[in-house]
Amino acid sequence: MGLSSAATENESVELCIFDLRRGQHEGQELDKILFFFPAGLPFSKQLSVVGLSEGLITFTRIFSPEAACEVIEAERHSHIFYEVEPDIWMVMVVEKSNDSEPIWRDDALRKVLKEIHSLFVMFHGTIRTLLEKEPGGGLIRRHLYSFVMDYLRGTSHHINYLVGKKLLLPSFRDCLKEQGTVQMLTIGREAAIEVQMLWLSDPFIAHSFILSSKCKCSSSNECDTCCSRCFIDVILFCQSLVRVLESSAGNMPCYSLILFQDLLVSTTLSPDDTINLFTYAVLRLTPQALSVGVSSWSYLRKGNTASSVAIESNIAIPSSASESFYGSSEVSPTEDSQYHVVRPLQSEKWSKGKDGYLVTDLWGAEVGTWVFATPTVWLRQTGERMYLCAYQHRNLTLLLLIPVSSIANGEQGVSAVKQQVLEQASLKILKVEEKLSKGWGGENAYHVSGYRYLLVDGDRNVSRATPPTKVATLTKESLLAMNKLRKEVELEKSRAKLDNVGCEKDMEVCIRAKNNAWVISRITRGRELYMVLEKANETLLYATDAVEKFSNKYCDGTFSLD
């Protein structure tokens, strides 16, 4: 989820959000700009960037009125477009480096824009709704500026997007990871990858699959089925825990999401809502996010806590003109008398209470009391506004979402539900955490020796990859080659989408890297496999055979050519 530190001194990035329905009359052009980074750039330059972007959008619509513009490659810049809502666009303009090899992927940059918008809508609702609430634009600009800048700053756990005045980009070093997906907890070696793909769809399918599998765990000669049995126990306990959580809320329709460390164990939410809550939990709520200085899953994180603090203190403060236009992200909600701005992405604002529930003052206090207001989010699938209650026991984080409309007496009602959950589910929470702690051997426990890979299930938005510390052992040449391969695959997928191909396109791409490593991609039935083989001798046949063995042993033959 983090970004790498591969930006060079020659690169610059501009990020803007604008509304094509606004500023149509001469002298009012500035009204269409809702956010701009860097905010200190002169308004004339901001208008130039937005004007060029608007012109490119209008021009490309002549040739493709149904499909929105996504990327424009110029000689010196790449323009990344994302229409977040009808006529509301996010555009990233990236100055190209002097390197002959491309160091970023356009698709990865668009997914950053998509994540920003998805998280914003989860907490604040749509941009259009806020514009309708206050047509002048001051309300949405204040919300967007505070939110996006908090997102870009990151934390000591989630690598900063900003270093000084520079916005860092996902680079070739991120080619074996996939933004906008969830990472599942793995327990057994043999069944791990298949369970990852099945879990979000139906836990009972995963259960039945493991019943017919054997673990062959390398840690013991006598455990053909021990890890499988352990995983079955975990699934059953999680299912039982979810039922207890639902019953604790009475007749109220509630949802839950369970994480262990930074990994998803169980969810009753839709895939889109799961991704949003999972992303936020990893950013702000998991034990690693709450603990300053704890090492992240991201192998791209550089430096220590002290350096992160120094970085944040060096972020450029907007000029007074821009600050009055966009608002300052340094203003707290209590200090902002004109607009009440909740800043859910502010770092180090969550803490664990004595009862195990996580608390924050980001949402202020209930009117007339000193009780912190419970955070609320909007679900994408149902459009409901939900209370977000987070409970944590050791490495287990449990998110419970309760409809605001079902709680008649505000915080008092929320407290009653939370207490009922403690009374009815605490024992099961203890057992689930205990079993997961015993069954999970750490991020390297299920590493497949000799392979560096990424598996993506596009239908369920699930990904699984080689542990980051292992990916870091690959050479720059291998990673650049994989980055190039993924660009080719994404371009082919984009063409298929434009051609309105009804069925999923199966494809295989192999590239020989400059260091004689093989980088391979196979796509079939909505699933994607990317692999780097640096010790594949000199033949493609050897590399293909290695992929076949991996597919047959760990993917149930999904990517086999037979």
Side-chain angles (χ1 to χ4, degrees):
M1 308 234 173
L3 297 180
S4 71
S5 54
T8 66
E9 293 182 359
N10 295 327
E11 295 171 2
S12 65
V13 181
E14 293 158 340
L15 174 62
C16 58
I17 303 174
F18 55 90
D19 181 5
L20 293 179
R21 300 179 189 177
R22 298 170 62 89
Q24 297 299 314
H25 301 290
E26 185 176 354
Q28 299 178 354
E29 293 85 358
L30 202 60
D31 289 346
K32 70 180 58 180
I33 305 179
L34 307 179
F35 171 86
F36 200 98
F37 172 88
L41 214 61
F43 285 137
S44 58
K45 175 62 176 175
Q46 295 183 31
L47 287 172
S48 176
V49 172
V50 172
L52 175 60
S53 299
E54 185 177 3
L56 292 172
I57 292 168
T58 303
F59 177 73
T60 55
R61 275 179 170 169
I62 297 174
F63 305 95
S64 180
E66 301 300 327
C69 178
E70 294 185 354
V71 180
I72 296 291
E73 294 286 355
E75 181 179 358
R76 297 178 58 185
H77 295 87
S78 293
H79 302 254
I80 315 300
F81 298 85
Y82 178 48
E83 189 175 16
V84 297
E85 298 172 27
D87 292 327
I88 297 179
W89 290 77
M90 294 182 73
V91 179
M92 183 183 291
V93 182
V94 186
E95 183 179 357
K96 293 183 177 179
S97 67
N98 294 326
D99 296 337
S100 58
E101 296 281 358
I103 65 171
W104 65 75
R105 291 182 293 111
D106 301 330
D107 190 64
L109 300 186
R110 292 189 79 248
K111 286 183 177 178
V112 171
L113 302 183
K114 183 177 180 180
E115 183 171 281
I116 292 174
H117 178 257
S118 294
L119 290 176
F120 181 87
V121 172
M122 182 176 73
F123 288 109
H124 298 300
T126 65
I127 294 175
R128 183 66 66 195
T129 298
L130 289 174
L131 279 171
E132 292 172 353
K133 184 178 179 180
E134 198 278 296
L139 178 65
I140 187 61
R141 290 190 184 99
R142 179 64 63 112
H143 275 82
L144 282 173
Y145 187 78
S146 298
F147 188 88
V148 178
M149 295 306 293
D150 285 340
Y151 175 90
L152 296 178
R153 284 188 176 101
T155 67
S156 58
H157 169 66
H158 184 74
I159 186 170
N160 292 329
Y161 288 60
L162 280 170
V163 174
K165 298 180 181 180
K166 294 189 69 64
L167 177 62
L168 302 186
L169 303 175
S171 78
F172 64 93
R173 301 187 186 279
D174 304 280
C175 61
L176 288 181
K177 62 190 292 189
E178 185 73 0
Q179 192 155 357
T181 57
V182 297
Q183 291 76 55
M184 309 297 296
L185 178 69
T186 55
I187 299 296
R189 180 183 290 273
E190 288 287 355
I193 296 175
E194 291 84 354
V195 171
Q196 296 276 1
M197 299 301 181
L198 292 170
W199 183 276
L200 271 184
S201 174
D202 189 344
F204 286 98
I205 295 178
H207 178 198
S208 61
F209 175 84
I210 295 174
L211 281 172
S212 62
S213 303
K214 287 189 176 182
C215 172
K216 298 178 183 176
C217 175
S218 60
S219 62
S220 170
N221 295 326
E222 301 177 355
C223 65
D224 282 349
T225 58
C226 69
C227 286
S228 295
R229 288 172 182 165
C230 175
F231 198 67
I232 292 169
D233 288 344
V234 170
I235 291 176
L236 294 178
F237 267 115
C238 286
Q239 292 171 347
S240 177
L241 175 56
V242 169
R243 287 193 290 269
V244 171
L245 293 175
E246 292 173 348
S247 65
S248 299
N251 296 323
M252 295 178 290
C254 66
Y255 302 90
S256 64
L257 186 143
I258 302 174
L259 296 95
F260 182 81
Q261 301 279 10
D262 281 358
L263 303 172
L264 183 65
V265 176
S266 172
T267 179
T268 61
L269 292 161
S270 69
D272 287 335
D273 289 319
T274 293
I275 289 173
N276 287 337
L277 266 297
F278 173 84
T279 301
Y280 184 68
V282 172
L283 282 172
R284 296 292 181 262
L285 303 178
T286 61
Q288 289 88 340
L290 293 179
S291 302
V292 177
V294 174
S295 62
S296 167
W297 262 71
S298 175
Y299 63 95
L300 302 169
R301 179 174 175 266
K302 307 291 183 182
N304 53 28
T305 303
S307 64
S308 297
V309 173
I311 286 171
E312 184 161 340
S313 66
N314 289 331
I315 295 175
I317 302 297
S319 63
S320 57
S322 295
E323 191 171 280
S324 62
F325 186 69
Y326 296 112
S328 171
S329 66
E330 303 304 321
V331 178
S332 67
T334 55
E335 294 169 334
D336 188 352
S337 57
Q338 187 176 3
Y339 304 114
H340 176 68
V341 179
V342 174
R343 296 174 58 190
L345 293 184
Q346 268 192 297
S347 61
E348 300 179 10
K349 288 292 186 177
W350 284 88
S351 60
K352 185 177 178 181
K354 294 181 179 180
D355 60 357
Y357 283 100
L358 304 185
V359 295
T360 180
D361 62 352
L362 287 173
W363 275 257
E366 189 177 31
V367 178
T369 71
W370 292 97
V371 178
F372 291 147
T374 302
T376 58
V377 298
W378 294 92
L379 291 186
R380 180 171 178 177
Q381 184 180 43
T382 64
E384 291 180 283
R385 187 178 175 216
M386 312 290 286
Y387 284 117
L388 172 62
C389 303
Y391 180 85
Q392 196 169 94
H393 174 65
R394 295 181 181 175
N395 292 313
L396 195 72
T397 303
L398 188 153
L399 304 184
L400 184 65
L401 293 100
I402 309 166
V404 172
S405 59
S406 65
I407 303 288
N409 49 351
E411 294 302 323
Q412 185 177 354
V414 174
S415 298
V417 174
K418 291 164 68 174
Q419 181 61 34
Q420 195 167 355
V421 170
L422 282 181
E423 294 173 357
Q424 298 187 22
S426 58
L427 181 58
K428 289 191 180 295
I429 292 173
L430 294 176
K431 289 183 177 180
V432 168
E433 201 282 334
E434 180 183 1
K435 286 189 174 291
L436 292 179
S437 296
K438 289 181 178 179
W440 190 64
E443 64 179 47
N444 292 328
Y446 310 108
H447 165 60
V448 182
S449 179
Y451 291 93
R452 303 293 185 269
Y453 66 92
L454 167 66
L455 273 168
V456 180
D457 187 334
D459 294 333
R460 300 180 180 89
N461 296 319
V462 178
S463 67
R464 172 177 167 80
T466 295
T469 53
K470 301 296 183 181
V471 175
T473 63
L474 292 173
T475 64
K476 178 180 179 180
E477 290 79 8
S478 295
L479 294 172
L480 282 169
M482 174 54 73
N483 194 60
K484 180 180 179 181
L485 180 146
R486 293 201 66 184
K487 284 176 68 75
E488 292 293 329
V489 169
E490 287 156 2
L491 180 60
E492 194 64 30
K493 287 163 58 180
S494 178
R495 287 170 178 163
K497 182 180 178 182
L498 290 175
D499 293 337
N500 294 318
V501 177
C503 59
E504 295 287 349
K505 185 174 182 179
D506 293 353
M507 59 185 298
E508 179 181 24
V509 183
C510 303
I511 295 179
R512 188 69 154 171
K514 292 180 180 179
N515 61 338
N516 288 326
W518 285 103
V519 292
I520 301 173
S521 171
R522 288 187 183 177
I523 300 177
T524 180
R525 297 188 295 275
R527 296 181 182 180
E528 304 175 23
L529 171 64
Y530 301 93
M531 186 171 291
V532 177
L533 298 169
E534 286 192 331
K535 298 179 181 179
N537 293 340
E538 296 297 327
T539 67
L540 178 59
L541 180 62
Y542 183 94
T544 302
D545 185 57
V547 176
E548 287 288 310
K549 291 180 180 178
F550 181 89
S551 175
N552 291 331
K553 190 173 183 180
Y554 301 103
C555 304
D556 199 27
T558 299
F559 300 99
S560 298
L561 296 177
D562 296 336

